[in-house]
Amino acid sequence: MDANSLNQLIKTRRAVFPKVYNGKPISKEVIQQILENANWAPTHKYTEPWRFKVFLGESKNQLGKKLGAIYEEFAGDHFSPMKYKKVSQKPVQSACVIAICMQRDPEERIPEFEEISAVACAVQNMWLSATAYGIGAYWSTPIYIQSKALEDYLELNQGESCLGFFYMGYSDIPLTEGKRGNIEEKTKWLE
């Protein structure tokens, strides 16, 4: 890949939401390659803190039901039937859902924020890979992500936490053009 192709890939990446996925399946080989690319994210002291749980087929339906139930419990008096439906349907609408998890270094040799950052870099690798394959993707971190019910459902290990869900699916809708402010307004050159 040349630098111009990489620049274009980065500028093309978008959040593509499950409601516009077209139902076309993603092959396990492509999912495996996307995860392999995630595995090459930067990692301080080689802790490689990223952990993934892949939901395909019927497991997506079960995940949707579980997320709906957790939302209902969490929302209490603020329960919204529309939000419940949206939360429950996102996994079903997706070709693949990946729980994004982080395994904290048991020795805590580095600050936790560095391990969270490493997982975020892994997700960026996944997102860019999905874009290159023509797959829409979306990282969602619901407010109730740290609920005990979700931890139990995902069978998280000691020191492992869930940082969200990565929804993927093909879409027939053209990507919108990206918008970013001028980098010069966000940069200070020191010489």
Side-chain angles (χ1 to χ4, degrees), residues 63-141:
L63 176 63
K65 290 176 186 175
K66 187 63 177 179
L67 292 178
I70 292 170
Y71 163 74
E72 186 173 11
E73 181 182 327
F74 179 84
D77 294 339
H78 301 289
F79 178 80
S80 161
M82 184 183 297
K83 177 77 172 175
Y84 174 83
K85 182 177 180 182
K86 184 177 174 183
V87 166
S88 301
Q89 287 300 307
K90 279 197 284 188
V92 177
Q93 294 166 330
S94 303
C96 174
V97 181
I98 301 175
I100 303 163
C101 302
M102 180 196 72
Q103 179 64 58
R104 182 76 168 107
D105 177 25
E107 298 173 37
E108 297 186 8
R109 295 172 291 164
I110 60 174
E112 184 178 31
F113 76 86
E114 288 191 23
E115 293 190 308
I116 293 170
S117 298
V119 174
C121 287
V123 173
Q124 177 72 345
N125 283 2
M126 291 166 60
W127 217 328
L128 291 172
S129 299
T131 301
Y133 279 105
I135 297 168
Y138 163 61
W139 182 357
S140 174
T141 307

Coordinates of all heavy atoms in Angstrom, one line a residue, residues 63-141:
L63 N -27.7 -12.3 22.2 CA -27.1 -11.1 22.6 C -28.1 -9.9 22.6 O -28.1 -9.1 23.6 CB -25.8 -10.7 21.8 CG -25.1 -9.4 22.1 CD1 -24.6 -9.4 23.5 CD2 -24.0 -9.1 21.1
G64 N -28.8 -9.8 21.6 CA -29.9 -8.8 21.5 C -30.8 -8.8 22.6 O -31.2 -7.8 23.2
K65 N -31.3 -10.1 22.9 CA -32.2 -10.2 24.0 C -31.6 -9.9 25.4 O -32.2 -9.2 26.2 CB -32.7 -11.7 24.1 CG -33.6 -12.1 23.0 CD -34.0 -13.6 23.0 CE -34.8 -14.0 21.8 NZ -35.0 -15.4 21.7
K66 N -30.3 -10.2 25.5 CA -29.6 -9.9 26.8 C -29.4 -8.4 26.9 O -29.6 -7.9 28.0 CB -28.3 -10.7 26.8 CG -27.6 -10.6 28.2 CD -28.5 -11.2 29.3 CE -27.8 -11.2 30.6 NZ -28.6 -11.7 31.7
L67 N -29.0 -7.8 25.9 CA -28.8 -6.3 25.9 C -30.1 -5.6 26.2 O -30.1 -4.6 27.0 CB -28.1 -5.8 24.6 CG -26.7 -6.3 24.4 CD1 -26.2 -5.7 23.1 CD2 -25.8 -5.8 25.5
G68 N -31.2 -6.1 25.6 CA -32.5 -5.5 25.9 C -32.9 -5.6 27.3 O -33.3 -4.7 28.0
A69 N -32.7 -6.8 27.9 CA -33.0 -7.0 29.3 C -32.1 -6.2 30.2 O -32.6 -5.6 31.2 CB -32.8 -8.5 29.6
I70 N -30.8 -6.1 29.9 CA -30.0 -5.3 30.8 C -30.4 -3.8 30.7 O -30.4 -3.1 31.7 CB -28.5 -5.5 30.3 CG1 -28.0 -6.9 30.7 CG2 -27.6 -4.4 31.0 CD1 -26.7 -7.3 30.1
Y71 N -30.7 -3.3 29.5 CA -31.2 -1.9 29.3 C -32.4 -1.7 30.1 O -32.5 -0.7 30.8 CB -31.4 -1.6 27.8 CG -32.3 -0.4 27.7 CD1 -31.7 0.9 28.0 CD2 -33.6 -0.4 27.4 CE1 -32.5 2.0 28.0 CE2 -34.4 0.7 27.4 CZ -33.9 1.9 27.7 OH -34.7 3.0 27.7
E72 N -33.4 -2.7 30.0 CA -34.6 -2.5 30.8 C -34.4 -2.4 32.3 O -35.0 -1.5 32.9 CB -35.6 -3.7 30.4 CG -36.9 -3.6 31.0 CD -37.9 -4.7 30.6 OE1 -37.4 -5.6 29.9 OE2 -39.1 -4.5 30.8
E73 N -33.5 -3.2 32.8 CA -33.2 -3.2 34.2 C -32.5 -1.9 34.6 O -32.8 -1.2 35.6 CB -32.3 -4.4 34.6 CG -32.0 -4.4 36.0 CD -31.1 -5.6 36.4 OE1 -31.2 -6.7 35.7 OE2 -30.2 -5.4 37.2
F74 N -31.6 -1.5 33.7 CA -30.8 -0.3 34.0 C -31.6 1.0 33.9 O -31.5 1.9 34.7 CB -29.6 -0.2 33.0 CG -28.8 1.0 33.2 CD1 -27.7 1.0 34.1 CD2 -29.0 2.2 32.4 CE1 -26.9 2.2 34.3 CE2 -28.2 3.3 32.6 CZ -27.2 3.3 33.5
A75 N -32.5 1.1 32.9 CA -33.3 2.3 32.7 C -34.3 2.6 33.8 O -34.6 3.8 34.0 CB -34.0 2.1 31.3
G76 N -34.9 1.6 34.4 CA -35.8 1.8 35.5 C -37.0 2.7 35.0 O -37.6 2.4 34.0
D77 N -37.2 3.8 35.7 CA -38.3 4.7 35.4 C -38.1 5.5 34.1 O -39.0 6.1 33.6 CB -38.5 5.7 36.5 CG -39.0 5.1 37.8 OD1 -39.5 4.0 37.7 OD2 -38.8 5.7 38.9
H78 N -36.8 5.4 33.6 CA -36.5 6.1 32.3 C -36.6 5.2 31.1 O -36.1 5.6 30.0 CB -35.1 6.8 32.4 CG -35.0 7.7 33.5 ND1 -35.6 9.0 33.5 CD2 -34.3 7.6 34.7 CE1 -35.3 9.6 34.6 NE2 -34.6 8.8 35.4
F79 N -37.2 4.1 31.3 CA -37.4 3.1 30.2 C -38.1 3.7 29.0 O -39.1 4.4 29.1 CB -38.1 1.9 30.7 CG -38.3 0.8 29.6 CD1 -37.3 -0.1 29.3 CD2 -39.5 0.7 28.9 CE1 -37.5 -1.0 28.3 CE2 -39.7 -0.2 27.9 CZ -38.7 -1.1 27.6
S80 N -37.5 3.4 27.8 CA -38.1 3.9 26.6 C -38.3 2.6 25.7 O -37.3 2.0 25.3 CB -37.2 4.9 25.9 OG -37.5 5.0 24.5
P81 N -39.5 2.4 25.3 CA -39.7 1.2 24.4 C -38.9 1.3 23.1 O -38.4 0.3 22.5 CB -41.2 1.3 24.1 CG -41.8 2.0 25.2 CD -40.8 3.0 25.7
M82 N -38.8 2.6 22.6 CA -38.0 2.8 21.3 C -36.5 2.4 21.5 O -35.9 1.8 20.7 CB -38.1 4.2 20.8 CG -37.4 4.5 19.5 SD -37.5 6.2 19.0 CE -39.2 6.4 18.8
K83 N -36.0 2.9 22.7 CA -34.6 2.6 23.0 C -34.4 1.1 23.2 O -33.4 0.5 22.7 CB -34.2 3.3 24.2 CG -32.8 3.1 24.7 CD -31.7 3.8 23.9 CE -30.4 3.6 24.5 NZ -29.3 4.2 23.7
Y84 N -35.3 0.4 23.9 CA -35.3 -1.0 24.1 C -35.2 -1.8 22.8 O -34.4 -2.7 22.6 CB -36.5 -1.4 24.9 CG -36.6 -2.9 25.1 CD1 -35.9 -3.6 26.0 CD2 -37.5 -3.7 24.2 CE1 -36.0 -5.0 26.2 CE2 -37.6 -5.1 24.3 CZ -36.9 -5.7 25.3 OH -37.0 -7.1 25.4
K85 N -36.1 -1.4 21.8 CA -36.2 -2.0 20.5 C -34.8 -1.8 19.8 O -34.3 -2.7 19.2 CB -37.3 -1.5 19.7 CG -37.4 -2.1 18.3 CD -38.6 -1.6 17.6 CE -38.7 -2.2 16.2 NZ -39.8 -1.7 15.4
K86 N -34.3 -0.6 19.8 CA -33.0 -0.3 19.1 C -31.9 -1.1 19.7 O -31.1 -1.7 19.0 CB -32.7 1.2 19.3 CG -31.5 1.7 18.6 CD -31.4 3.2 18.7 CE -30.1 3.7 18.1 NZ -29.9 5.1 18.3
V87 N -31.8 -1.2 21.0 CA -30.7 -1.9 21.7 C -30.9 -3.4 21.4 O -29.8 -4.1 21.1 CB -30.8 -1.7 23.2 CG1 -30.0 -2.7 24.0 CG2 -30.4 -0.3 23.6
S88 N -32.1 -3.9 21.4 CA -32.3 -5.4 21.1 C -32.0 -5.7 19.7 O -31.6 -6.9 19.4 CB -33.7 -5.7 21.5 OG -34.0 -5.5 22.8
Q89 N -32.3 -4.8 18.8 CA -32.2 -5.1 17.3 C -30.9 -5.0 16.7 O -30.5 -5.6 15.7 CB -33.2 -4.3 16.5 CG -34.7 -4.7 16.7 CD -34.9 -6.1 16.3 OE1 -34.6 -6.5 15.2 NE2 -35.4 -6.9 17.2
K90 N -30.0 -4.1 17.3 CA -28.7 -3.9 16.7 C -27.9 -5.2 16.4 O -27.4 -5.4 15.3 CB -27.8 -2.9 17.5 CG -28.2 -1.5 17.3 CD -27.1 -0.5 17.8 CE -27.1 -0.3 19.3 NZ -26.3 0.7 19.8
P91 N -27.8 -6.1 17.4 CA -27.1 -7.4 17.1 C -27.7 -8.2 16.0 O -27.1 -8.8 15.1 CB -27.1 -8.1 18.4 CG -27.3 -7.1 19.5 CD -28.2 -6.0 18.8
V92 N -29.1 -8.2 15.9 CA -29.8 -9.0 14.9 C -29.6 -8.4 13.5 O -29.5 -9.1 12.6 CB -31.3 -9.0 15.3 CG1 -32.1 -9.8 14.3 CG2 -31.5 -9.6 16.7
Q93 N -29.5 -7.1 13.5 CA -29.3 -6.4 12.2 C -27.9 -6.5 11.6 O -27.7 -6.3 10.5 CB -29.7 -4.9 12.3 CG -31.1 -4.6 12.7 CD -31.3 -3.2 13.1 OE1 -30.4 -2.6 13.7 NE2 -32.5 -2.7 12.9
S94 N -27.0 -6.9 12.5 CA -25.6 -7.0 12.1 C -25.2 -8.4 11.6 O -25.8 -9.4 11.9 CB -24.7 -6.7 13.3 OG -25.0 -5.4 13.9
A95 N -24.2 -8.4 10.7 CA -23.7 -9.7 10.2 C -22.8 -10.3 11.3 O -22.7 -11.5 11.3 CB -22.9 -9.4 8.9
C96 N -22.2 -9.5 12.1 CA -21.3 -9.9 13.1 C -21.2 -8.8 14.2 O -21.2 -7.7 13.9 CB -19.9 -10.1 12.5 SG -18.6 -10.5 13.7
V97 N -21.1 -9.3 15.4 CA -20.9 -8.4 16.6 C -19.7 -8.9 17.3 O -19.6 -10.1 17.6 CB -22.2 -8.3 17.5 CG1 -21.9 -7.3 18.6 CG2 -23.4 -7.9 16.7
I98 N -18.8 -8.0 17.7 CA -17.7 -8.4 18.5 C -17.7 -7.6 19.8 O -17.7 -6.3 19.7 CB -16.4 -8.1 17.7 CG1 -16.4 -8.9 16.4 CG2 -15.1 -8.4 18.5 CD1 -15.2 -8.6 15.4
A99 N -17.7 -8.3 20.9 CA -17.5 -7.6 22.2 C -16.1 -7.2 22.3 O -15.2 -8.1 22.1 CB -18.0 -8.5 23.3
I100 N -15.8 -6.0 22.6 CA -14.5 -5.4 22.7 C -14.1 -5.4 24.2 O -14.8 -4.7 25.0 CB -14.4 -4.0 22.2 CG1 -14.9 -3.9 20.7 CG2 -13.0 -3.4 22.4 CD1 -15.2 -2.5 20.3
C101 N -13.2 -6.2 24.6 CA -12.8 -6.4 26.0 C -11.4 -6.1 26.2 O -10.6 -6.1 25.3 CB -13.2 -7.8 26.4 SG -14.9 -8.3 26.2
M102 N -11.1 -5.8 27.5 CA -9.7 -5.5 27.8 C -9.3 -6.3 29.0 O -10.0 -6.4 30.0 CB -9.5 -4.0 28.2 CG -8.1 -3.7 28.6 SD -8.0 -2.1 29.5 CE -8.7 -2.5 31.0
Q103 N -8.2 -7.0 28.9 CA -7.7 -7.8 30.0 C -6.6 -7.0 30.7 O -5.5 -6.7 30.1 CB -7.1 -9.1 29.6 CG -6.5 -10.0 30.7 CD -7.5 -10.4 31.7 OE1 -8.5 -11.0 31.4 NE2 -7.3 -10.0 32.9
R104 N -6.8 -6.5 31.9 CA -5.8 -5.7 32.6 C -4.6 -6.6 33.0 O -4.8 -7.8 33.4 CB -6.5 -5.2 33.9 CG -5.6 -4.3 34.8 CD -5.5 -2.9 34.2 NE -4.9 -2.0 35.1 CZ -3.7 -1.5 35.0 NH1 -2.9 -1.9 34.0 NH2 -3.2 -0.7 35.9
D105 N -3.4 -6.0 32.8 CA -2.2 -6.7 33.1 C -2.2 -7.1 34.6 O -2.4 -6.2 35.5 CB -1.0 -5.8 32.8 CG 0.3 -6.4 33.2 OD1 0.4 -7.6 33.3 OD2 1.3 -5.6 33.5
P106 N -2.2 -8.3 35.0 CA -2.3 -8.7 36.4 C -1.2 -8.1 37.3 O -1.4 -7.8 38.5 CB -2.1 -10.2 36.4 CG -2.3 -10.7 35.0 CD -2.0 -9.5 34.1
E107 N -0.1 -7.8 36.7 CA 1.0 -7.1 37.5 C 0.9 -5.6 37.5 O 1.6 -4.9 38.2 CB 2.4 -7.5 36.9 CG 2.6 -9.0 37.0 CD 3.9 -9.4 36.2 OE1 4.9 -8.6 36.3 OE2 3.9 -10.4 35.6
E108 N -0.1 -5.1 36.7 CA -0.3 -3.6 36.6 C 1.0 -2.8 36.4 O 1.3 -1.8 37.0 CB -1.1 -3.1 37.8 CG -2.4 -3.7 38.0 CD -3.3 -3.1 39.1 OE1 -2.9 -2.1 39.7 OE2 -4.3 -3.7 39.3
R109 N 1.8 -3.3 35.4 CA 3.1 -2.7 35.1 C 2.9 -1.4 34.4 O 3.8 -0.6 34.4 CB 3.9 -3.7 34.2 CG 4.3 -5.0 34.9 CD 5.0 -5.9 33.9 NE 3.9 -6.4 33.0 CZ 4.2 -7.0 31.8 NH1 5.5 -7.2 31.5 NH2 3.2 -7.4 31.0
I110 N 1.8 -1.2 33.8 CA 1.5 0.1 33.1 C 0.2 0.7 33.5 O -0.7 -0.1 34.0 CB 1.6 -0.1 31.6 CG1 0.5 -1.1 31.1 CG2 3.0 -0.5 31.1 CD1 0.4 -1.2 29.6
P111 N 0.0 2.0 33.4 CA -1.3 2.5 33.8 C -2.5 1.9 33.0 O -2.3 1.6 31.8 CB -1.2 4.0 33.5 CG 0.3 4.3 33.4 CD 0.9 3.0 32.9
E112 N -3.6 1.8 33.6 CA -4.8 1.3 32.9 C -5.1 2.0 31.6 O -5.5 1.4 30.6 CB -6.0 1.3 33.8 CG -7.2 0.6 33.2 CD -8.4 0.5 34.2 OE1 -8.5 1.4 35.1 OE2 -9.2 -0.4 34.1
F113 N -5.0 3.4 31.6 CA -5.3 4.1 30.4 C -4.5 3.7 29.2 O -4.9 3.8 28.1 CB -5.3 5.6 30.7 CG -3.9 6.2 30.7 CD1 -3.3 6.6 29.5 CD2 -3.2 6.4 31.9 CE1 -2.0 7.2 29.6 CE2 -2.0 7.0 32.0 CZ -1.3 7.3 30.8
E114 N -3.3 3.2 29.5 CA -2.4 2.8 28.3 C -3.0 1.5 27.7 O -2.9 1.3 26.5 CB -1.0 2.6 28.8 CG -0.3 3.9 29.0 CD 1.2 3.7 29.2 OE1 1.8 2.7 28.7 OE2 1.8 4.6 29.8
E115 N -3.6 0.7 28.6 CA -4.1 -0.6 28.1 C -5.5 -0.3 27.4 O -5.8 -0.9 26.3 CB -4.3 -1.6 29.2 CG -2.9 -2.0 29.7 CD -3.0 -3.2 30.6 OE1 -3.7 -3.2 31.6 OE2 -2.2 -4.2 30.4
I116 N -6.2 0.6 27.9 CA -7.5 1.1 27.2 C -7.1 1.6 25.8 O -7.7 1.4 24.8 CB -8.3 2.1 28.0 CG1 -8.8 1.4 29.3 CG2 -9.4 2.7 27.2 CD1 -9.4 2.3 30.3
S117 N -6.0 2.5 25.8 CA -5.6 3.1 24.5 C -5.1 2.0 23.6 O -5.4 2.1 22.4 CB -4.4 4.0 24.8 OG -4.9 5.1 25.6
A118 N -4.5 1.0 24.0 CA -4.0 -0.1 23.2 C -5.3 -0.8 22.5 O -5.3 -1.2 21.4 CB -3.2 -1.1 23.9
V119 N -6.3 -1.1 23.4 CA -7.5 -1.7 22.8 C -8.1 -0.8 21.8 O -8.6 -1.2 20.7 CB -8.5 -2.0 24.0 CG1 -9.8 -2.5 23.4 CG2 -7.9 -3.1 24.9
A120 N -8.2 0.5 22.1 CA -8.7 1.5 21.1 C -7.9 1.4 19.8 O -8.5 1.5 18.7 CB -8.7 2.9 21.7
C121 N -6.6 1.3 19.9 CA -5.8 1.2 18.6 C -6.2 -0.1 17.9 O -6.2 -0.1 16.7 CB -4.3 1.2 19.0 SG -3.7 2.8 19.5
A122 N -6.4 -1.2 18.6 CA -6.8 -2.5 18.0 C -8.1 -2.3 17.3 O -8.3 -2.8 16.2 CB -6.9 -3.6 19.1
V123 N -9.1 -1.6 17.9 CA -10.4 -1.3 17.3 C -10.2 -0.5 16.0 O -10.8 -0.7 15.0 CB -11.4 -0.7 18.3 CG1 -12.7 -0.3 17.6 CG2 -11.7 -1.7 19.4
Q124 N -9.3 0.5 16.1 CA -9.1 1.3 14.9 C -8.5 0.5 13.7 O -8.9 0.6 12.6 CB -8.1 2.5 15.2 CG -7.7 3.3 14.0 CD -8.8 4.2 13.5 OE1 -10.0 4.1 13.8 NE2 -8.5 5.2 12.6
N125 N -7.6 -0.5 14.1 CA -7.2 -1.4 13.1 C -8.3 -2.2 12.5 O -8.4 -2.5 11.3 CB -6.1 -2.4 13.6 CG -4.7 -1.7 13.8 OD1 -4.6 -0.6 13.5 ND2 -3.8 -2.5 14.3
M126 N -9.2 -2.7 13.3 CA -10.4 -3.4 12.9 C -11.3 -2.5 12.0 O -11.7 -3.0 10.9 CB -11.2 -3.9 14.1 CG -10.6 -5.0 14.9 SD -11.4 -5.2 16.5 CE -13.0 -5.7 16.1
W127 N -11.5 -1.3 12.4 CA -12.3 -0.4 11.6 C -11.8 -0.1 10.3 O -12.5 -0.1 9.2 CB -12.5 0.9 12.4 CG -13.9 1.5 12.3 CD1 -14.8 1.4 11.3 CD2 -14.6 2.2 13.3 NE1 -15.9 2.1 11.5 CE2 -15.8 2.6 12.8 CE3 -14.2 2.6 14.6 CZ2 -16.7 3.4 13.5 CZ3 -15.2 3.4 15.3 CH2 -16.4 3.8 14.8
L128 N -10.5 0.2 10.2 CA -9.8 0.4 8.9 C -9.9 -0.8 8.0 O -10.1 -0.7 6.8 CB -8.4 0.9 9.1 CG -8.3 2.3 9.7 CD1 -6.8 2.6 10.1 CD2 -8.8 3.4 8.8
S129 N -9.7 -2.0 8.7 CA -9.7 -3.2 7.9 C -11.1 -3.5 7.4 O -11.3 -3.9 6.2 CB -9.3 -4.4 8.8 OG -8.0 -4.3 9.3
A130 N -12.1 -3.3 8.2 CA -13.5 -3.4 7.7 C -13.8 -2.5 6.5 O -14.4 -2.9 5.5 CB -14.5 -3.1 8.9
T131 N -13.3 -1.2 6.7 CA -13.5 -0.3 5.6 C -12.8 -0.8 4.3 O -13.4 -0.7 3.2 CB -12.9 1.1 6.0 OG1 -13.6 1.6 7.2 CG2 -13.1 2.1 4.9
A132 N -11.6 -1.3 4.4 CA -10.9 -1.8 3.2 C -11.7 -3.0 2.6 O -11.6 -3.1 1.4 CB -9.5 -2.3 3.6
Y133 N -12.4 -3.8 3.4 CA -13.2 -4.9 2.9 C -14.6 -4.4 2.4 O -15.4 -5.3 2.0 CB -13.4 -6.0 3.9 CG -12.2 -6.9 4.0 CD1 -11.3 -6.8 5.1 CD2 -12.0 -7.9 3.1 CE1 -10.2 -7.7 5.2 CE2 -10.9 -8.8 3.2 CZ -10.0 -8.7 4.3 OH -9.0 -9.5 4.4
G134 N -14.9 -3.2 2.5 CA -16.2 -2.7 2.1 C -17.3 -3.0 3.1 O -18.5 -3.1 2.8
I135 N -16.9 -3.2 4.4 CA -17.8 -3.6 5.5 C -18.1 -2.3 6.3 O -17.1 -1.7 6.7 CB -17.2 -4.7 6.3 CG1 -17.1 -6.0 5.4 CG2 -18.1 -5.0 7.5 CD1 -16.2 -7.0 6.1
G136 N -19.3 -2.1 6.6 CA -19.7 -1.0 7.5 C -19.4 -1.4 9.0 O -19.6 -2.6 9.3
A137 N -19.1 -0.5 9.8 CA -18.8 -0.8 11.2 C -19.2 0.3 12.1 O -19.2 1.5 11.7 CB -17.3 -1.2 11.4
Y138 N -19.3 0.0 13.4 CA -19.8 0.9 14.4 C -19.4 0.4 15.8 O -19.7 -0.7 16.1 CB -21.3 1.1 14.3 CG -22.0 1.7 15.4 CD1 -21.8 3.0 15.8 CD2 -23.0 1.0 16.1 CE1 -22.5 3.6 16.8 CE2 -23.7 1.6 17.1 CZ -23.5 2.9 17.5 OH -24.2 3.5 18.5
W139 N -18.7 1.3 16.6 CA -18.3 0.9 17.9 C -19.3 1.6 18.9 O -19.5 2.8 18.9 CB -16.9 1.4 18.2 CG -16.4 1.1 19.6 CD1 -17.0 0.5 20.6 CD2 -15.1 1.4 20.1 NE1 -16.2 0.4 21.7 CE2 -15.0 0.9 21.4 CE3 -14.0 2.0 19.5 CZ2 -13.8 1.1 22.1 CZ3 -12.8 2.2 20.3 CH2 -12.7 1.7 21.6
S140 N -20.0 0.8 19.6 CA -21.0 1.3 20.6 C -20.6 1.0 22.0 O -20.2 -0.2 22.3 CB -22.4 0.7 20.3 OG -23.3 1.1 21.3
T141 N -20.7 2.0 22.9 CA -20.4 1.8 24.3 C -21.6 2.2 25.1 O -21.6 3.4 25.5 CB -19.1 2.5 24.7 OG1 -18.1 2.1 23.8 CG2 -18.7 2.2 26.1

